[in-house]
Amino acid sequence: MNRLCPCCGFPAPPALVSFGRYQGRALVMGFCARCVRANERLPLGTEQKRTNAAAARAMTNPARYFAAILPDLGAAQLAAGLLAHPQHADEAARALGWGAQTR
């Protein structure tokens, strides 16, 4: 099964990795290029609503989406940093169960 973008629900590799806290839990999410471009054109409030909706979907079933629930915000920040680093992205993605990153 291919993982999905938590924002649009389409099977596409993550172009941007975001981390944060949602409902008191640390979360890492990967957004596809289409959603990244769409969010850049939106007002901040609308972008935040889309991100919150994506986080809610990802929290219900992180195995379906490019998402991972981590023990704390520091771990989420570290995972996002490793996923963004070209030298460590594949290993970090495999550690999160995302398979190898395709950029």
Side-chain angles (χ1 to χ4, degrees):
M1 178 178 86
N2 289 340
R3 287 185 180 253
L4 309 174
C5 171
C7 194
C8 67
F10 290 125
L16 173 78
V17 176
S18 177
F19 72 94
R21 193 179 294 281
Y22 186 77
Q23 294 180 344
R25 298 173 77 188
L27 179 69
V28 175
M29 296 186 295
F31 293 98
C32 71
R34 179 183 162 275
C35 289
V36 171
R37 286 190 306 271
N39 283 342
E40 288 173 349
R41 293 188 305 264
L42 293 172
L44 186 60
T46 306
E47 178 185 355
Q48 188 62 52
K49 286 178 186 176
R50 282 177 52 112
T51 303
N52 286 344
R57 275 191 294 281
M59 291 292 281
T60 60
N61 189 1
R64 183 174 184 194
Y65 301 100
F66 282 106
I69 300 170
L70 297 168
D72 58 41
L73 196 57
Q77 183 177 13
L78 177 62
L82 289 172
L83 287 165
H85 194 282
Q87 188 176 357
H88 303 291
D90 288 339
E91 290 178 39
R94 278 193 290 277
L96 291 173
W98 294 6
Q101 287 283 86
T102 54
R103 288 187 178 239

Coordinates of all heavy atoms in Angstrom, one line a residue:
M1 N 0.8 -1.2 0.0 CA 0.0 0.0 0.0 C 0.9 1.2 0.0 O 1.8 1.3 0.8 CB -0.9 0.0 1.2 CG -1.8 1.2 1.3 SD -2.9 1.2 2.7 CE -1.8 1.9 4.0
N2 N 0.6 2.2 -0.9 CA 1.3 3.4 -0.9 C 0.7 4.3 0.2 O -0.5 4.3 0.5 CB 1.1 4.1 -2.2 CG 1.8 3.5 -3.3 OD1 2.7 2.7 -3.1 ND2 1.4 3.7 -4.6
R3 N 1.6 5.1 0.8 CA 1.2 6.1 1.8 C 0.7 7.3 1.1 O 1.0 7.6 -0.1 CB 2.4 6.5 2.7 CG 2.7 5.3 3.6 CD 3.8 5.8 4.6 NE 4.0 4.7 5.5 CZ 3.7 4.7 6.8 NH1 3.0 5.7 7.3 NH2 4.0 3.6 7.5
L4 N -0.2 8.0 1.7 CA -0.9 9.2 1.2 C -0.5 10.5 1.8 O 0.0 10.5 3.0 CB -2.4 9.0 1.4 CG -3.0 7.7 0.9 CD1 -4.5 7.6 1.3 CD2 -2.8 7.5 -0.5
C5 N -0.6 11.6 1.1 CA -0.4 12.9 1.6 C -1.6 13.1 2.6 O -2.7 13.0 2.3 CB -0.4 13.9 0.5 SG -0.5 15.6 1.1
P6 N -1.3 13.6 3.8 CA -2.4 13.8 4.8 C -3.3 15.0 4.5 O -4.4 15.1 5.0 CB -1.6 14.0 6.1 CG -0.3 14.4 5.8 CD 0.0 13.8 4.4
C7 N -2.8 15.8 3.6 CA -3.6 17.0 3.3 C -4.6 16.7 2.2 O -5.8 17.0 2.3 CB -2.6 18.1 2.8 SG -3.4 19.8 2.8
C8 N -4.2 16.1 1.1 CA -5.1 15.9 -0.1 C -5.5 14.4 -0.2 O -6.5 14.2 -0.8 CB -4.4 16.3 -1.4 SG -3.0 15.3 -1.9
G9 N -4.8 13.5 0.4 CA -5.2 12.1 0.4 C -4.7 11.4 -0.9 O -5.1 10.2 -1.1
F10 N -3.9 12.0 -1.7 CA -3.4 11.4 -2.9 C -2.0 10.7 -2.6 O -1.3 11.2 -1.8 CB -3.2 12.4 -4.0 CG -4.5 12.9 -4.6 CD1 -4.7 14.2 -4.7 CD2 -5.5 12.0 -5.1 CE1 -5.9 14.7 -5.2 CE2 -6.7 12.5 -5.6 CZ -6.9 13.8 -5.6
P11 N -1.8 9.6 -3.3 CA -0.5 8.9 -3.1 C 0.6 9.7 -3.9 O 0.7 9.6 -5.1 CB -0.7 7.5 -3.7 CG -1.8 7.7 -4.7 CD -2.6 8.8 -4.2
A12 N 1.4 10.4 -3.2 CA 2.5 11.2 -3.7 C 3.6 11.3 -2.7 O 3.3 11.4 -1.5 CB 2.0 12.6 -4.1
P13 N 4.9 11.3 -3.2 CA 6.0 11.4 -2.2 C 6.0 12.8 -1.5 O 5.6 13.8 -2.1 CB 7.2 11.2 -3.0 CG 6.8 11.6 -4.4 CD 5.3 11.2 -4.5
P14 N 6.4 12.9 -0.3 CA 6.5 14.2 0.4 C 7.5 15.1 -0.2 O 8.6 14.7 -0.5 CB 6.8 13.8 1.8 CG 7.2 12.4 1.9 CD 6.9 11.8 0.6
A15 N 7.1 16.3 -0.4 CA 8.0 17.4 -0.9 C 8.4 18.3 0.3 O 9.4 19.0 0.2 CB 7.3 18.2 -2.0
L16 N 7.6 18.3 1.4 CA 7.9 19.1 2.5 C 7.5 18.3 3.8 O 6.5 17.7 3.8 CB 7.0 20.4 2.5 CG 7.1 21.3 3.8 CD1 8.4 22.1 3.7 CD2 5.9 22.2 3.8
V17 N 8.4 18.3 4.7 CA 8.1 17.6 6.0 C 7.9 18.7 7.1 O 8.7 19.6 7.2 CB 9.3 16.7 6.4 CG1 9.1 16.0 7.7 CG2 9.5 15.6 5.3
S18 N 6.8 18.5 7.8 CA 6.5 19.4 8.8 C 6.4 18.7 10.2 O 6.0 17.5 10.2 CB 5.1 20.1 8.5 OG 4.7 20.9 9.5
F19 N 6.6 19.4 11.2 CA 6.5 18.7 12.6 C 5.8 19.7 13.5 O 5.7 20.9 13.2 CB 7.8 18.3 13.2 CG 8.7 19.5 13.6 CD1 8.6 19.9 14.9 CD2 9.5 20.1 12.7 CE1 9.4 21.0 15.4 CE2 10.3 21.2 13.1 CZ 10.2 21.6 14.4
G20 N 5.1 19.2 14.5 CA 4.5 20.0 15.5 C 3.7 19.2 16.5 O 3.9 18.0 16.6
R21 N 2.9 19.9 17.2 CA 2.1 19.2 18.3 C 0.7 19.4 17.9 O 0.2 20.5 17.5 CB 2.4 19.9 19.6 CG 1.9 19.2 20.8 CD 2.3 19.9 22.1 NE 3.7 20.0 22.4 CZ 4.5 19.1 22.9 NH1 3.9 17.9 23.1 NH2 5.7 19.2 23.1
Y22 N 0.0 18.3 18.0 CA -1.5 18.3 17.7 C -2.1 17.5 18.8 O -1.8 16.3 19.0 CB -1.8 17.7 16.3 CG -3.2 17.8 15.9 CD1 -3.7 19.1 15.5 CD2 -4.1 16.8 16.0 CE1 -5.1 19.2 15.2 CE2 -5.4 16.9 15.7 CZ -5.9 18.1 15.3 OH -7.2 18.2 14.9
Q23 N -3.1 18.0 19.4 CA -3.8 17.4 20.5 C -2.9 16.9 21.6 O -3.0 15.7 22.1 CB -4.8 16.3 20.0 CG -5.9 16.8 19.2 CD -6.8 15.7 18.7 OE1 -6.4 14.5 18.7 NE2 -7.9 16.1 18.2
G24 N -1.8 17.6 21.9 CA -0.9 17.2 22.9 C 0.1 16.2 22.5 O 0.9 15.7 23.4
R25 N 0.1 15.7 21.3 CA 1.1 14.7 20.9 C 2.0 15.3 19.7 O 1.5 16.1 18.9 CB 0.3 13.5 20.4 CG -0.5 12.9 21.5 CD -1.4 11.8 21.1 NE -0.7 10.6 20.9 CZ -1.2 9.5 20.3 NH1 -2.4 9.5 19.9 NH2 -0.4 8.4 20.2
A26 N 3.2 14.8 19.7 CA 4.1 15.2 18.7 C 3.9 14.5 17.4 O 3.6 13.3 17.4 CB 5.6 15.0 19.1
L27 N 3.9 15.2 16.2 CA 3.6 14.6 15.0 C 4.5 15.1 13.9 O 4.9 16.3 13.9 CB 2.1 15.0 14.6 CG 1.5 14.5 13.3 CD1 1.3 13.0 13.3 CD2 0.2 15.2 13.1
V28 N 4.9 14.2 13.0 CA 5.7 14.6 11.8 C 4.8 14.2 10.6 O 4.2 13.1 10.6 CB 7.0 13.8 11.7 CG1 7.7 14.0 10.4 CG2 7.9 14.1 12.9
M29 N 4.7 15.1 9.6 CA 3.9 14.8 8.5 C 4.6 15.2 7.2 O 5.4 16.2 7.2 CB 2.6 15.7 8.5 CG 1.6 15.3 9.6 SD 0.0 16.2 9.4 CE 0.6 17.9 9.6
G30 N 4.4 14.5 6.1 CA 5.0 14.9 4.8 C 3.9 15.3 3.9 O 2.9 14.6 3.7
F31 N 4.0 16.5 3.3 CA 3.0 17.0 2.4 C 3.6 16.9 0.9 O 4.7 17.1 0.7 CB 2.8 18.5 2.7 CG 2.1 18.7 4.0 CD1 2.8 19.1 5.1 CD2 0.7 18.6 4.1 CE1 2.2 19.3 6.3 CE2 0.1 18.8 5.3 CZ 0.8 19.2 6.4
C32 N 2.7 16.6 0.0 CA 3.1 16.4 -1.4 C 3.3 17.8 -2.0 O 2.9 18.8 -1.4 CB 2.0 15.7 -2.2 SG 0.5 16.6 -2.5
A33 N 4.0 17.8 -3.2 CA 4.3 19.1 -3.8 C 3.1 19.9 -4.2 O 3.1 21.1 -4.1 CB 5.2 18.8 -5.1
R34 N 2.0 19.2 -4.6 CA 0.8 19.9 -4.9 C 0.2 20.7 -3.8 O -0.2 21.8 -3.9 CB -0.3 18.9 -5.4 CG -1.6 19.4 -5.8 CD -2.5 18.3 -6.3 NE -3.9 18.7 -6.2 CZ -4.7 18.7 -5.2 NH1 -4.2 18.3 -4.0 NH2 -5.9 19.1 -5.2
C35 N 0.2 20.1 -2.6 CA -0.4 20.7 -1.4 C 0.6 21.8 -0.9 O 0.1 22.9 -0.4 CB -0.6 19.7 -0.3 SG -2.0 18.6 -0.7
V36 N 1.9 21.6 -1.1 CA 2.8 22.7 -0.7 C 2.5 23.9 -1.5 O 2.5 25.1 -1.0 CB 4.3 22.2 -0.8 CG1 5.2 23.4 -0.6 CG2 4.6 21.1 0.2
R37 N 2.4 23.8 -2.8 CA 2.1 24.9 -3.7 C 0.8 25.5 -3.4 O 0.7 26.8 -3.4 CB 2.2 24.5 -5.2 CG 3.6 24.2 -5.7 CD 3.6 24.0 -7.2 NE 2.7 23.0 -7.7 CZ 3.0 21.7 -7.8 NH1 4.2 21.3 -7.5 NH2 2.1 20.8 -8.2
A38 N -0.2 24.7 -3.1 CA -1.5 25.3 -2.8 C -1.5 26.1 -1.5 O -2.1 27.1 -1.4 CB -2.6 24.1 -2.7
N39 N -0.8 25.5 -0.5 CA -0.8 26.2 0.8 C 0.0 27.5 0.7 O -0.3 28.5 1.5 CB -0.1 25.3 1.9 CG -1.1 24.2 2.4 OD1 -2.3 24.4 2.2 ND2 -0.5 23.2 3.0
E40 N 1.0 27.6 -0.2 CA 1.7 28.9 -0.3 C 0.9 30.0 -0.9 O 1.2 31.1 -0.6 CB 3.0 28.6 -1.2 CG 4.0 27.8 -0.6 CD 5.2 27.5 -1.5 OE1 5.0 27.7 -2.7 OE2 6.2 27.0 -1.0
R41 N -0.2 29.7 -1.6 CA -1.0 30.7 -2.2 C -2.2 31.1 -1.3 O -2.9 32.1 -1.6 CB -1.6 30.2 -3.5 CG -0.6 30.0 -4.6 CD -1.2 29.7 -5.9 NE -2.1 28.5 -5.9 CZ -1.8 27.3 -6.2 NH1 -0.6 27.0 -6.6 NH2 -2.7 26.3 -6.2
L42 N -2.4 30.4 -0.2 CA -3.5 30.6 0.7 C -3.2 31.6 1.8 O -2.0 31.7 2.2 CB -4.0 29.3 1.3 CG -4.6 28.3 0.4 CD1 -4.8 27.0 1.2 CD2 -5.8 28.8 -0.2
P43 N -4.2 32.3 2.3 CA -3.9 33.1 3.5 C -3.5 32.3 4.7 O -3.9 31.1 4.7 CB -5.3 33.8 3.7 CG -6.1 33.6 2.5 CD -5.5 32.4 1.8
L44 N -2.8 32.8 5.6 CA -2.3 32.0 6.7 C -3.4 31.3 7.5 O -3.2 30.1 7.8 CB -1.5 32.9 7.6 CG -0.8 32.2 8.8 CD1 0.2 31.2 8.2 CD2 -0.1 33.3 9.7
G45 N -4.5 31.9 7.7 CA -5.6 31.3 8.5 C -6.1 30.0 7.7 O -6.4 29.0 8.4
T46 N -6.3 30.1 6.4 CA -6.8 29.0 5.6 C -5.8 27.9 5.6 O -6.1 26.7 5.7 CB -7.2 29.5 4.2 OG1 -8.1 30.6 4.3 CG2 -7.8 28.4 3.4
E47 N -4.5 28.3 5.4 CA -3.4 27.3 5.4 C -3.4 26.5 6.8 O -3.2 25.3 6.8 CB -2.1 28.0 5.2 CG -0.9 27.0 5.2 CD 0.4 27.7 5.1 OE1 0.5 29.0 4.9 OE2 1.5 27.1 5.2
Q48 N -3.6 27.3 7.9 CA -3.6 26.6 9.2 C -4.7 25.6 9.3 O -4.6 24.6 9.9 CB -3.6 27.7 10.3 CG -3.4 27.1 11.7 CD -2.0 26.4 11.8 OE1 -1.0 27.0 11.5 NE2 -2.0 25.2 12.3
K49 N -5.9 26.0 8.8 CA -7.0 25.1 8.9 C -6.8 23.8 8.1 O -7.1 22.7 8.5 CB -8.3 25.8 8.3 CG -8.9 26.8 9.2 CD -10.1 27.5 8.6 CE -10.5 28.7 9.5 NZ -11.6 29.4 8.9
R50 N -6.2 24.0 6.9 CA -5.8 22.8 6.1 C -4.8 21.9 6.8 O -4.9 20.7 6.8 CB -5.3 23.2 4.7 CG -6.3 23.6 3.7 CD -5.7 24.1 2.4 NE -4.7 23.1 1.9 CZ -4.9 22.5 0.8 NH1 -6.0 22.7 0.1 NH2 -4.0 21.6 0.3
T51 N -3.8 22.5 7.4 CA -2.8 21.8 8.2 C -3.4 21.1 9.4 O -3.1 19.9 9.7 CB -1.7 22.7 8.6 OG1 -1.1 23.4 7.4 CG2 -0.6 22.0 9.3
N52 N -4.3 21.7 10.1 CA -5.0 21.1 11.2 C -5.8 19.9 10.8 O -5.9 18.9 11.5 CB -5.8 22.1 12.0 CG -5.0 23.1 12.8 OD1 -3.8 22.8 13.1 ND2 -5.6 24.2 13.2
A53 N -6.5 20.1 9.7 CA -7.3 19.0 9.2 C -6.4 17.8 8.8 O -6.8 16.6 9.0 CB -8.2 19.4 8.0
A54 N -5.3 18.1 8.1 CA -4.3 17.1 7.8 C -3.8 16.4 9.0 O -3.7 15.1 9.0 CB -3.2 17.6 7.0
A55 N -3.5 17.1 10.0 CA -3.0 16.5 11.3 C -4.1 15.6 11.9 O -3.8 14.6 12.4 CB -2.6 17.6 12.3
A56 N -5.3 16.1 11.9 CA -6.4 15.2 12.5 C -6.5 13.9 11.7 O -6.7 12.9 12.3 CB -7.7 16.0 12.4
R57 N -6.4 14.0 10.4 CA -6.5 12.7 9.6 C -5.3 11.8 9.9 O -5.4 10.6 10.1 CB -6.5 13.0 8.1 CG -7.9 13.3 7.5 CD -7.9 13.4 6.0 NE -7.1 14.5 5.5 CZ -7.5 15.7 5.4 NH1 -8.8 16.0 5.8 NH2 -6.8 16.7 4.9
A58 N -4.1 12.4 10.0 CA -2.9 11.7 10.2 C -2.9 11.1 11.6 O -2.4 10.0 11.8 CB -1.7 12.6 10.1
M59 N -3.4 11.7 12.6 CA -3.5 11.2 14.0 C -4.4 10.0 14.1 O -4.1 9.1 14.9 CB -4.0 12.3 14.9 CG -3.0 13.4 15.2 SD -1.5 12.9 16.0 CE -2.1 12.8 17.7
T60 N -5.4 9.9 13.2 CA -6.4 8.8 13.3 C -5.8 7.5 12.8 O -6.1 6.4 13.2 CB -7.7 9.1 12.6 OG1 -7.4 9.3 11.2 CG2 -8.4 10.3 13.2
N61 N -4.9 7.7 11.7 CA -4.3 6.5 11.1 C -3.0 6.9 10.5 O -2.9 7.0 9.3 CB -5.3 5.9 10.0 CG -4.8 4.6 9.5 OD1 -3.8 4.1 9.9 ND2 -5.6 4.1 8.5
P62 N -1.9 7.0 11.3 CA -0.6 7.5 10.7 C 0.0 6.5 9.8 O 0.8 6.8 8.9 CB 0.2 7.7 12.0 CG -0.4 6.9 13.1 CD -1.9 6.9 12.7
A63 N -0.4 5.2 9.9 CA 0.2 4.2 8.9 C -0.3 4.4 7.5 O 0.3 3.9 6.6 CB -0.1 2.8 9.4
R64 N -1.4 5.0 7.3 CA -2.0 5.3 6.0 C -1.3 6.5 5.3 O -1.3 6.5 4.1 CB -3.5 5.5 6.1 CG -4.2 5.6 4.8 CD -5.7 5.7 5.0 NE -6.3 5.8 3.7 CZ -7.5 6.1 3.5 NH1 -8.3 6.4 4.5 NH2 -8.0 6.1 2.3
Y65 N -0.9 7.4 6.1 CA -0.4 8.7 5.6 C 1.1 8.8 5.8 O 1.7 8.0 6.5 CB -1.1 9.9 6.3 CG -2.6 9.8 6.1 CD1 -3.4 9.4 7.0 CD2 -3.1 10.3 4.9 CE1 -4.8 9.4 6.8 CE2 -4.5 10.3 4.6 CZ -5.3 9.8 5.6 OH -6.7 9.8 5.4
F66 N 1.8 9.8 5.2 CA 3.1 10.1 5.5 C 3.1 10.9 6.8 O 3.1 12.1 6.8 CB 3.8 11.0 4.4 CG 4.2 10.2 3.2 CD1 3.4 10.2 2.0 CD2 5.3 9.3 3.2 CE1 3.8 9.5 0.9 CE2 5.7 8.6 2.1 CZ 4.9 8.6 1.0
A67 N 3.0 10.1 7.9 CA 2.9 10.7 9.2 C 3.4 9.8 10.2 O 3.5 8.5 10.0 CB 1.4 11.1 9.5
A68 N 3.9 10.3 11.3 CA 4.4 9.5 12.4 C 4.1 10.2 13.7 O 4.4 11.4 13.8 CB 5.9 9.2 12.3
I69 N 3.6 9.5 14.7 CA 3.4 10.1 16.1 C 4.7 9.7 16.9 O 5.0 8.5 16.9 CB 2.1 9.5 16.7 CG1 0.9 9.9 15.9 CG2 2.0 10.0 18.1 CD1 -0.3 9.1 16.3
L70 N 5.3 10.7 17.5 CA 6.5 10.5 18.2 C 6.4 10.8 19.7 O 5.4 11.5 20.0 CB 7.6 11.3 17.5 CG 7.9 10.9 16.1 CD1 8.8 11.9 15.4 CD2 8.5 9.5 16.1
P71 N 7.3 10.4 20.5 CA 7.1 10.6 22.0 C 7.1 12.0 22.4 O 6.5 12.4 23.4 CB 8.3 9.8 22.6 CG 9.2 9.4 21.5 CD 8.5 9.6 20.2
D72 N 7.9 12.9 21.8 CA 8.0 14.3 22.2 C 8.3 15.2 21.0 O 8.7 14.7 19.9 CB 8.9 14.5 23.3 CG 10.3 14.1 23.0 OD1 10.8 14.3 21.9 OD2 11.0 13.5 23.9
L73 N 8.2 16.5 21.2 CA 8.4 17.4 20.1 C 9.9 17.4 19.7 O 10.2 17.6 18.5 CB 8.0 18.8 20.6 CG 7.9 19.9 19.5 CD1 6.9 19.4 18.5 CD2 7.5 21.2 20.1
G74 N 10.8 17.1 20.5 CA 12.2 17.1 20.2 C 12.5 15.9 19.2 O 13.2 16.1 18.2
A75 N 11.8 14.8 19.4 CA 12.0 13.7 18.5 C 11.4 14.0 17.1 O 11.9 13.6 16.1 CB 11.3 12.4 19.1
A76 N 10.2 14.7 17.2 CA 9.6 15.1 15.9 C 10.5 16.1 15.1 O 10.6 16.0 13.9 CB 8.2 15.7 16.2
Q77 N 11.1 17.0 15.8 CA 12.0 18.0 15.2 C 13.2 17.2 14.6 O 13.6 17.5 13.5 CB 12.4 19.0 16.2 CG 13.3 20.1 15.6 CD 13.6 21.2 16.6 OE1 13.5 21.0 17.8 NE2 14.1 22.3 16.1
L78 N 13.8 16.3 15.3 CA 14.9 15.5 14.8 C 14.5 14.7 13.6 O 15.2 14.7 12.6 CB 15.4 14.6 15.9 CG 16.6 13.7 15.5 CD1 17.8 14.5 15.1 CD2 16.9 12.8 16.7
A79 N 13.4 14.1 13.6 CA 12.9 13.3 12.5 C 12.7 14.1 11.3 O 13.1 13.8 10.2 CB 11.6 12.5 12.8
A80 N 12.1 15.3 11.4 CA 11.9 16.2 10.3 C 13.2 16.7 9.8 O 13.4 16.8 8.5 CB 11.1 17.4 10.7
G81 N 14.2 17.0 10.6 CA 15.5 17.4 10.2 C 16.2 16.3 9.4 O 16.9 16.6 8.4
L82 N 16.1 15.1 9.9 CA 16.8 14.0 9.2 C 16.1 13.7 7.8 O 16.8 13.4 6.9 CB 16.8 12.7 10.0 CG 17.7 12.8 11.3 CD1 17.5 11.5 12.1 CD2 19.2 12.8 10.8
L83 N 14.8 13.8 7.8 CA 14.1 13.6 6.5 C 14.5 14.7 5.5 O 14.4 14.5 4.3 CB 12.6 13.6 6.7 CG 12.1 12.3 7.4 CD1 10.7 12.6 7.9 CD2 12.1 11.2 6.4
A84 N 14.8 15.9 6.0 CA 15.1 17.0 5.1 C 16.6 16.9 4.6 O 16.9 17.6 3.6 CB 14.8 18.4 5.7
H85 N 17.4 16.2 5.3 CA 18.8 16.1 5.0 C 19.0 15.0 3.9 O 18.7 13.9 4.1 CB 19.6 15.8 6.2 CG 21.1 16.0 6.1 ND1 21.9 15.1 5.4 CD2 21.9 17.0 6.5 CE1 23.1 15.5 5.4 NE2 23.1 16.7 6.1
P86 N 19.6 15.4 2.7 CA 19.7 14.4 1.7 C 20.5 13.1 2.0 O 20.2 12.0 1.6 CB 20.4 15.1 0.5 CG 20.5 16.5 1.0 CD 20.1 16.7 2.4
Q87 N 21.5 13.3 2.9 CA 22.4 12.1 3.2 C 21.6 11.2 4.2 O 21.9 10.0 4.1 CB 23.6 12.6 3.9 CG 24.7 11.6 4.2 CD 25.9 12.2 4.8 OE1 26.1 13.4 5.0 NE2 26.9 11.3 5.1
H88 N 20.7 11.6 4.9 CA 20.0 10.8 5.9 C 18.5 10.5 5.6 O 17.9 9.8 6.4 CB 20.1 11.4 7.3 CG 21.5 11.6 7.7 ND1 22.4 10.6 8.0 CD2 22.2 12.8 7.9 CE1 23.6 11.1 8.4 NE2 23.5 12.4 8.3
A89 N 18.0 11.1 4.6 CA 16.6 11.0 4.3 C 16.1 9.6 4.1 O 15.0 9.2 4.7 CB 16.2 11.8 3.1
D90 N 16.8 8.8 3.4 CA 16.3 7.4 3.1 C 16.3 6.6 4.4 O 15.3 5.9 4.7 CB 17.2 6.7 2.1 CG 16.9 7.2 0.7 OD1 15.9 7.8 0.4 OD2 17.8 7.1 -0.2
E91 N 17.3 6.7 5.2 CA 17.4 5.9 6.5 C 16.3 6.4 7.4 O 15.7 5.6 8.1 CB 18.7 6.0 7.1 CG 19.8 5.3 6.3 CD 21.2 5.5 7.0 OE1 21.3 5.5 8.2 OE2 22.2 5.6 6.2
A92 N 16.1 7.7 7.5 CA 15.1 8.3 8.4 C 13.7 7.8 8.0 O 12.8 7.5 8.8 CB 15.2 9.8 8.5
A93 N 13.4 7.9 6.7 CA 12.1 7.4 6.1 C 11.9 6.0 6.4 O 10.8 5.6 6.8 CB 12.0 7.7 4.6
R94 N 12.9 5.1 6.3 CA 12.7 3.7 6.6 C 12.5 3.5 8.1 O 11.7 2.7 8.5 CB 13.9 2.9 6.1 CG 13.9 2.6 4.7 CD 14.9 1.5 4.3 NE 16.3 2.1 4.3 CZ 16.9 2.7 3.4 NH1 16.3 3.0 2.3 NH2 18.1 3.2 3.5
A95 N 13.2 4.3 8.9 CA 13.0 4.2 10.4 C 11.6 4.6 10.8 O 11.0 4.0 11.7 CB 14.0 5.1 11.1
L96 N 10.9 5.5 10.1 CA 9.6 5.9 10.3 C 8.5 5.0 9.7 O 7.4 5.1 9.9 CB 9.3 7.3 9.9 CG 10.0 8.4 10.7 CD1 9.8 9.8 10.0 CD2 9.5 8.5 12.1
G97 N 9.0 4.0 8.9 CA 8.2 3.1 8.2 C 7.6 3.7 6.9 O 6.6 3.2 6.3
W98 N 8.2 4.7 6.4 CA 7.8 5.4 5.1 C 8.4 4.8 3.9 O 8.1 5.1 2.8 CB 8.1 6.9 5.1 CG 7.3 7.7 6.2 CD1 6.5 7.2 7.1 CD2 7.4 9.1 6.3 NE1 6.0 8.2 7.9 CE2 6.5 9.4 7.4 CE3 8.0 10.1 5.6 CZ2 6.3 10.7 7.8 CZ3 7.8 11.4 6.1 CH2 7.0 11.7 7.1
G99 N 9.3 3.9 4.1 CA 10.1 3.4 2.9 C 11.1 4.4 2.5 O 11.3 5.4 3.2
A100 N 11.8 4.2 1.4 CA 12.8 5.1 1.0 C 12.2 6.4 0.4 O 11.2 6.3 -0.3 CB 13.7 4.5 -0.1
Q101 N 12.8 7.5 0.7 CA 12.3 8.8 0.2 C 12.6 8.9 -1.3 O 13.7 8.4 -1.7 CB 13.0 10.0 0.8 CG 12.6 10.2 2.3 CD 11.2 10.9 2.3 OE1 10.2 10.3 2.3 NE2 11.3 12.2 2.4
T102 N 11.7 9.4 -2.1 CA 12.0 9.6 -3.5 C 11.8 11.1 -3.8 O 10.7 11.7 -3.7 CB 11.0 8.8 -4.4 OG1 9.6 9.2 -4.0 CG2 11.2 7.4 -4.2
R103 N 12.9 11.7 -4.0 CA 12.9 13.2 -4.2 C 13.3 13.5 -5.7 O 14.0 12.9 -6.3 CB 13.9 13.9 -3.3 CG 13.4 13.9 -1.9 CD 14.3 14.7 -1.0 NE 13.7 14.7 0.3 CZ 13.3 15.8 0.9 NH1 13.4 16.9 0.4 NH2 12.8 15.7 2.1

